[in-house]
Amino acid sequence: MANKKTLCFTCNKEKTTHSCKGCLKYFCLLDLVQHRQKLNEELCYVINDYDQFKQRIDERKQDPQKHSLIKQINLWEIKSIEIIQQKAQEYREILMKSSETCINQIEMKLNNLNEQIKQFQKEKEFNEININHLSNQLIEITKEFNDPSSVSIQQNSRSLINEISIILSKKPKFNKWKQNAITVAGGNGLGQEFSQLNYPKGIFIDEMKNIFIVDYFNHRIVEWEYNARQGQIIAGENGQGNRIDQLNYPTDVIVDQQTHSIIIADQGNGRVIQWLNQKQKVLIENIDCFGLAIDKYGFLYASNGVKNEVRRWKMGEYSKEIVVAGGNGKGNRLNQLNHPTYIFVDEDQCVYVSDQNNHRVIKWGKDAKEGRIVAGGNGQGKNLNQLSLPHGVIVDDLGQIYVTDSHNHRIMRWCEGKEEGEIVVGGNGKGNQSNQLNLPSGLSFDDEGNLYVPDYLNHRIQKFEVIP
């Protein structure tokens, strides 16, 4: 440290000072001592953090069983043993019942054989033929008892339990997309021609890359086949109305690829309706539905913007329903929602809800009493830790959450547990250029990872191609 008279950084007085090589500031001798004490305290904090972490490492080395995944393996072992024990008991009961029936039948045959023997003994009229006949009957009954042909054990190659494996994965790949999109539907101005859209909202991409679009102000669902120049109406071609063959401001559509039917959130008519081969069926009535989802177990989910909840139904059993998110009135607590829009359901039946007026995405685990914020939740805004009236939501296999940040005109990606997200596409201000969006609504991916966005005020569907 070099001595010279200058202003002390701490007391702001002109004194003989000494420079600190770390922060490059000048301190008088008294303040330098205090500065060094502060540095010593900070070093102590680092040492303390080191000691605590080293203790955790030593504990893990001493007891490897404390690994969090060991608990999962132990639970899998217990559950698997329970399944095997249940099956074994089930088969024992089946075998004992079958054996009881077999014994009863054999006893009947033995009784009949005994009657024949008594008859021969009483009449004393029998010969070699009669003896051989009785002996053969006894041999057959004995063989049936020793080797019952009606019962056997068959080995099945199908696994009785759910097998698990340890995957030592590399760092997950975070996809990126070209920032200039291709218009794949609409983009020919507002209108109702087959080449036009009128404020598109929800979207669904099937396995053939056909695009199913909620054409909101045209009160119809249109399908644009892959690389087509115009769409075709597949629901709502009879104009706005409440007849069974009409729609009224629909908001979302999903395709049940098992039945090849489409299910529509017909919000203006307060119903969820199914269209199959131009035949219609109302599935759920009196619901202010906005977003829809189907899980792999055959359950249908719908968000309700008036009751601020998400409900679930077993497909085909629409009289039975349960609330799986919200349902505790409008609010911003973790057990409440404020105008939920689109929803997504993962493999574990966790429900992700775009909680629009709370400017957040909230995740509800199966049978949970409250949710957990996984995106936004820091008030309305355009910072990377904020959302503004979110709409579409999708979660990929890595647990990455994609959100249509509607009023910020961008698509965001959030990793659960992170304090802020990142801009995937858009975010260049509202506009109609290929790198801009104007109040985007839903979102969807095809099987190659390309991103599709309904560009609401530009009346078009934008495709952002994934970068290989």
CSV table of all heavy atoms in Angstrom, one decimal, residues 426-450:
chain,number,residue,atom,x,y,z
A,426,GLY,N,-39.9,-13.4,-29.6
A,426,GLY,CA,-40.6,-12.2,-29.4
A,426,GLY,C,-39.8,-11.3,-28.4
A,426,GLY,O,-38.6,-11.3,-28.4
A,427,GLY,N,-40.5,-10.4,-27.7
A,427,GLY,CA,-39.9,-9.5,-26.8
A,427,GLY,C,-39.2,-8.3,-27.6
A,427,GLY,O,-38.4,-7.6,-27.0
A,428,ASN,N,-39.6,-8.1,-28.8
A,428,ASN,CA,-39.1,-7.0,-29.6
A,428,ASN,C,-40.2,-5.9,-29.8
A,428,ASN,O,-40.2,-5.2,-30.8
A,428,ASN,CB,-38.6,-7.5,-31.0
A,428,ASN,CG,-37.5,-8.5,-30.8
A,428,ASN,OD1,-36.5,-8.3,-30.2
A,428,ASN,ND2,-37.8,-9.7,-31.4
A,429,GLY,N,-41.1,-5.8,-28.8
A,429,GLY,CA,-42.1,-4.8,-28.9
A,429,GLY,C,-43.3,-5.4,-29.7
A,429,GLY,O,-43.1,-6.3,-30.5
A,430,LYS,N,-44.5,-4.8,-29.6
A,430,LYS,CA,-45.6,-5.3,-30.4
A,430,LYS,C,-45.5,-4.8,-31.8
A,430,LYS,O,-45.0,-3.7,-32.1
A,430,LYS,CB,-46.9,-4.9,-29.8
A,430,LYS,CG,-47.2,-3.4,-29.8
A,430,LYS,CD,-48.6,-3.1,-29.2
A,430,LYS,CE,-48.9,-1.7,-29.2
A,430,LYS,NZ,-50.3,-1.4,-28.6
A,431,GLY,N,-45.8,-5.7,-32.7
A,431,GLY,CA,-45.7,-5.3,-34.1
A,431,GLY,C,-46.0,-6.5,-35.0
A,431,GLY,O,-46.4,-7.6,-34.5
A,432,ASN,N,-45.9,-6.3,-36.3
A,432,ASN,CA,-46.3,-7.4,-37.3
A,432,ASN,C,-45.1,-7.9,-38.1
A,432,ASN,O,-45.3,-8.6,-39.1
A,432,ASN,CB,-47.4,-6.9,-38.2
A,432,ASN,CG,-47.0,-5.7,-39.0
A,432,ASN,OD1,-45.8,-5.3,-39.0
A,432,ASN,ND2,-47.9,-5.1,-39.8
A,433,GLN,N,-43.9,-7.6,-37.6
A,433,GLN,CA,-42.7,-8.1,-38.3
A,433,GLN,C,-42.5,-9.6,-37.9
A,433,GLN,O,-43.1,-10.1,-37.0
A,433,GLN,CB,-41.4,-7.3,-37.9
A,433,GLN,CG,-41.5,-5.8,-38.3
A,433,GLN,CD,-41.8,-5.6,-39.8
A,433,GLN,OE1,-41.0,-6.1,-40.6
A,433,GLN,NE2,-42.8,-4.8,-40.1
A,434,SER,N,-41.6,-10.3,-38.7
A,434,SER,CA,-41.5,-11.7,-38.4
A,434,SER,C,-40.8,-12.0,-37.1
A,434,SER,O,-40.9,-13.1,-36.6
A,434,SER,CB,-40.6,-12.3,-39.5
A,434,SER,OG,-39.3,-11.7,-39.6
A,435,ASN,N,-40.2,-11.0,-36.4
A,435,ASN,CA,-39.6,-11.2,-35.1
A,435,ASN,C,-40.4,-10.6,-34.0
A,435,ASN,O,-39.9,-10.4,-32.9
A,435,ASN,CB,-38.1,-10.7,-35.1
A,435,ASN,CG,-38.1,-9.2,-35.2
A,435,ASN,OD1,-39.0,-8.5,-35.6
A,435,ASN,ND2,-37.0,-8.6,-34.7
A,436,GLN,N,-41.6,-10.2,-34.4
A,436,GLN,CA,-42.5,-9.5,-33.4
A,436,GLN,C,-43.8,-10.3,-33.3
A,436,GLN,O,-44.2,-11.1,-34.1
A,436,GLN,CB,-42.8,-8.1,-33.9
A,436,GLN,CG,-41.6,-7.2,-33.8
A,436,GLN,CD,-42.0,-5.8,-34.3
A,436,GLN,OE1,-42.6,-5.6,-35.3
A,436,GLN,NE2,-41.7,-4.8,-33.4
A,437,LEU,N,-44.5,-10.1,-32.1
A,437,LEU,CA,-45.8,-10.6,-31.8
A,437,LEU,C,-46.7,-9.4,-31.4
A,437,LEU,O,-46.2,-8.4,-30.9
A,437,LEU,CB,-45.8,-11.7,-30.8
A,437,LEU,CG,-44.9,-12.9,-31.1
A,437,LEU,CD1,-44.7,-13.8,-29.9
A,437,LEU,CD2,-45.6,-13.7,-32.2
A,438,ASN,N,-48.0,-9.6,-31.4
A,438,ASN,CA,-48.9,-8.6,-31.0
A,438,ASN,C,-50.0,-9.3,-30.2
A,438,ASN,O,-51.0,-9.8,-30.8
A,438,ASN,CB,-49.5,-7.8,-32.1
A,438,ASN,CG,-50.2,-6.5,-31.7
A,438,ASN,OD1,-50.4,-6.3,-30.5
A,438,ASN,ND2,-50.5,-5.6,-32.7
A,439,LEU,N,-49.9,-9.3,-28.9
A,439,LEU,CA,-50.8,-9.9,-28.0
A,439,LEU,C,-51.0,-11.4,-28.3
A,439,LEU,O,-52.1,-11.9,-28.6
A,439,LEU,CB,-52.2,-9.2,-28.0
A,439,LEU,CG,-52.9,-9.2,-26.7
A,439,LEU,CD1,-52.2,-8.3,-25.7
A,439,LEU,CD2,-54.3,-8.7,-26.9
A,440,PRO,N,-49.9,-12.2,-28.2
A,440,PRO,CA,-50.0,-13.6,-28.5
A,440,PRO,C,-50.9,-14.3,-27.4
A,440,PRO,O,-51.0,-13.8,-26.3
A,440,PRO,CB,-48.5,-14.1,-28.3
A,440,PRO,CG,-47.9,-13.1,-27.5
A,440,PRO,CD,-48.5,-11.8,-27.8
A,441,SER,N,-51.5,-15.4,-27.8
A,441,SER,CA,-52.5,-16.1,-26.9
A,441,SER,C,-52.0,-17.4,-26.5
A,441,SER,O,-51.3,-17.6,-25.4
A,441,SER,CB,-53.8,-16.2,-27.6
A,441,SER,OG,-54.8,-16.7,-26.8
A,442,GLY,N,-52.2,-18.5,-27.2
A,442,GLY,CA,-51.8,-19.8,-26.8
A,442,GLY,C,-50.4,-20.1,-27.3
A,442,GLY,O,-49.7,-19.3,-27.7
A,443,LEU,N,-50.0,-21.4,-27.2
A,443,LEU,CA,-48.8,-21.9,-27.8
A,443,LEU,C,-48.8,-23.4,-27.9
A,443,LEU,O,-49.6,-24.0,-27.2
A,443,LEU,CB,-47.5,-21.4,-27.1
A,443,LEU,CG,-47.1,-22.1,-25.8
A,443,LEU,CD1,-45.7,-21.9,-25.5
A,443,LEU,CD2,-48.0,-21.7,-24.6
A,444,SER,N,-48.0,-23.9,-28.8
A,444,SER,CA,-48.0,-25.4,-29.0
A,444,SER,C,-46.6,-25.8,-29.7
A,444,SER,O,-46.0,-24.9,-30.3
A,444,SER,CB,-49.1,-25.9,-29.8
A,444,SER,OG,-49.2,-27.3,-29.9
A,445,PHE,N,-46.2,-27.0,-29.5
A,445,PHE,CA,-45.0,-27.5,-30.2
A,445,PHE,C,-45.4,-28.7,-31.1
A,445,PHE,O,-46.4,-29.4,-30.8
A,445,PHE,CB,-44.0,-28.0,-29.1
A,445,PHE,CG,-43.4,-27.0,-28.3
A,445,PHE,CD1,-43.9,-26.6,-27.1
A,445,PHE,CD2,-42.3,-26.3,-28.8
A,445,PHE,CE1,-43.3,-25.6,-26.3
A,445,PHE,CE2,-41.7,-25.3,-28.0
A,445,PHE,CZ,-42.2,-25.0,-26.8
A,446,ASP,N,-44.7,-28.9,-32.2
A,446,ASP,CA,-44.9,-30.2,-32.9
A,446,ASP,C,-43.8,-31.1,-32.4
A,446,ASP,O,-43.0,-30.8,-31.5
A,446,ASP,CB,-44.8,-29.9,-34.4
A,446,ASP,CG,-43.4,-29.4,-34.9
A,446,ASP,OD1,-42.4,-29.6,-34.2
A,446,ASP,OD2,-43.4,-28.8,-36.0
A,447,ASP,N,-43.8,-32.4,-33.0
A,447,ASP,CA,-42.9,-33.4,-32.5
A,447,ASP,C,-41.5,-33.2,-32.8
A,447,ASP,O,-40.6,-33.9,-32.3
A,447,ASP,CB,-43.4,-34.8,-33.0
A,447,ASP,CG,-43.4,-34.9,-34.5
A,447,ASP,OD1,-43.0,-33.9,-35.1
A,447,ASP,OD2,-43.9,-35.9,-35.0
A,448,GLU,N,-41.1,-32.2,-33.6
A,448,GLU,CA,-39.8,-31.8,-33.9
A,448,GLU,C,-39.3,-30.7,-33.0
A,448,GLU,O,-38.1,-30.3,-33.0
A,448,GLU,CB,-39.6,-31.4,-35.3
A,448,GLU,CG,-39.8,-32.5,-36.3
A,448,GLU,CD,-39.7,-32.1,-37.8
A,448,GLU,OE1,-39.5,-30.9,-38.0
A,448,GLU,OE2,-39.8,-32.9,-38.7
A,449,GLY,N,-40.2,-30.1,-32.2
A,449,GLY,CA,-39.8,-29.0,-31.3
A,449,GLY,C,-40.0,-27.6,-31.9
A,449,GLY,O,-39.6,-26.7,-31.2
A,450,ASN,N,-40.6,-27.5,-33.0
A,450,ASN,CA,-40.9,-26.2,-33.6
A,450,ASN,C,-42.0,-25.6,-32.7
A,450,ASN,O,-43.0,-26.3,-32.3
A,450,ASN,CB,-41.3,-26.3,-35.0
A,450,ASN,CG,-40.2,-26.9,-35.9
A,450,ASN,OD1,-39.1,-26.5,-35.9
A,450,ASN,ND2,-40.6,-28.0,-36.7
